[in-house]
Amino acid sequence: MPRQFGGAYFLKEDKMISKSKVDKAGRILSDKDRNYDELSLELDYVFEEFRKSYLAPLTKLTLSLQEWLQTYGQQYYIAQRLKRKPQILRKLRRFSVRLTQLQDIGGCRIVVDNNEAVDGLVSFLRTKLTDSGDYTIERETDYRDWGRDDSGYRAYHIILTTSGIRLELQLRSQLQHYWTCRVFVPPHVLV
């Protein structure tokens, strides 16, 4: 499992890759005007290793969520995903942020019946996440009433940290999920 130690990430085979090198990979690879060269190839490896470092903590979170939700007594749909490279690079260009600042490289989505069910789930998961001792809730943002300024997207987001890795938990009603899939997901992709 990846661990953050000071300014470095320990990744595959305990090779240490610094935050500055990860950020350099994001900066170089998101530059549309740059020609692909040997440095780009090296940084592509760094980028992919950093991205893959989210998989184990994300899978652990998803399994914990599934275990907790079995006792919740409500219907739900859960999915996890690692953000794909093109989406990450597009986001780096659009927001001018460092790769290590992104908080949605790894994420889980839980879809429940309606907004009241989302409210109940937020309270339930807040308690479970805190009580587990494995997760720290960094921030909660409710986009349901007004949506995001740039897109109208609606959901409840919980940003949490585990093992030095930031993960995003999205909680949506079925209607919010339906809208998001129609607006953001190409028609040939299954969700």
Side-chain angles (χ1 to χ4, degrees):
M1 180 176 294
R3 301 174 310 281
Q4 187 177 356
F5 181 77
Y9 287 91
F10 291 84
L11 303 172
K12 189 176 180 181
E13 301 163 7
D14 280 336
K15 290 183 181 178
M16 192 166 52
I17 299 176
S18 69
K19 281 178 78 172
S20 62
K21 190 155 193 174
V22 170
D23 287 332
K24 181 177 182 180
R27 191 175 62 255
I28 297 291
L29 296 174
S30 66
D31 182 355
K32 286 179 142 180
D33 298 326
R34 183 179 171 85
N35 291 326
Y36 201 80
D37 56 10
E38 201 167 309
L39 176 62
S40 300
L41 183 62
E42 175 192 343
L43 293 176
D44 197 45
Y45 172 79
V46 169
F47 181 96
E48 287 303 328
E49 288 302 307
F50 176 71
R51 184 179 160 273
K52 287 190 300 187
S53 73
Y54 283 74
L55 188 56
L58 178 59
T59 300
K60 178 184 172 194
L61 172 63
T62 304
L63 292 173
S64 295
L65 291 168
Q66 287 178 330
E67 180 181 326
W68 298 333
L69 288 169
Q70 288 180 6
T71 66
Y72 186 56
Q74 300 280 332
Q75 285 192 317
Y76 65 90
Y77 164 81
I78 187 169
Q80 76 174 38
R81 65 103 180 100
L82 280 179
K83 190 176 282 275
R84 293 185 312 259
K85 182 180 176 183
Q87 283 71 27
I88 294 171
L89 296 178
R90 190 175 316 122
K91 191 167 194 174
L92 291 174
R93 283 190 293 271
R94 192 173 66 212
F95 293 113
S96 298
V97 296
R98 294 189 313 271
L99 180 55
T100 56
Q101 290 178 309
L102 293 182
Q103 53 199 17
D104 65 344
I105 292 174
C108 286
R109 172 189 326 121
I110 302 174
V111 179
V112 294
D113 287 338
N114 53 44
N115 261 334
E116 293 77 30
V118 172
D119 290 335
L121 187 59
V122 167
S123 179
F124 176 79
L125 290 178
R126 193 182 292 132
T127 300
K128 290 293 189 181
L129 289 164
T130 303
D131 290 351
S132 76
D134 291 331
Y135 305 98
T136 302
I137 296 174
E138 284 191 14
R139 187 174 71 252
E140 297 181 39
T141 307
D142 191 345
Y143 294 109
R144 294 176 298 159
D145 286 338
W146 303 106
R148 278 196 174 155
D149 291 340
D150 60 341
S151 66
Y153 165 85
R154 296 171 190 263
Y156 193 98
H157 285 200
I158 300 174
I159 304 299
L160 54 95
T161 305
T162 182
S163 305
I165 298 289
R166 246 185 267 134
L167 300 171
E168 178 183 72
L169 180 55
Q170 300 174 356
L171 310 174
R172 303 180 191 159
S173 69
Q174 288 181 1
L175 184 60
Q176 291 157 352
H177 183 64
Y178 175 82
W179 182 88
T180 301
C181 291
R182 296 306 165 260
V183 172
F184 291 107
V185 179
H188 64 279
V189 176
L190 297 174
V191 282

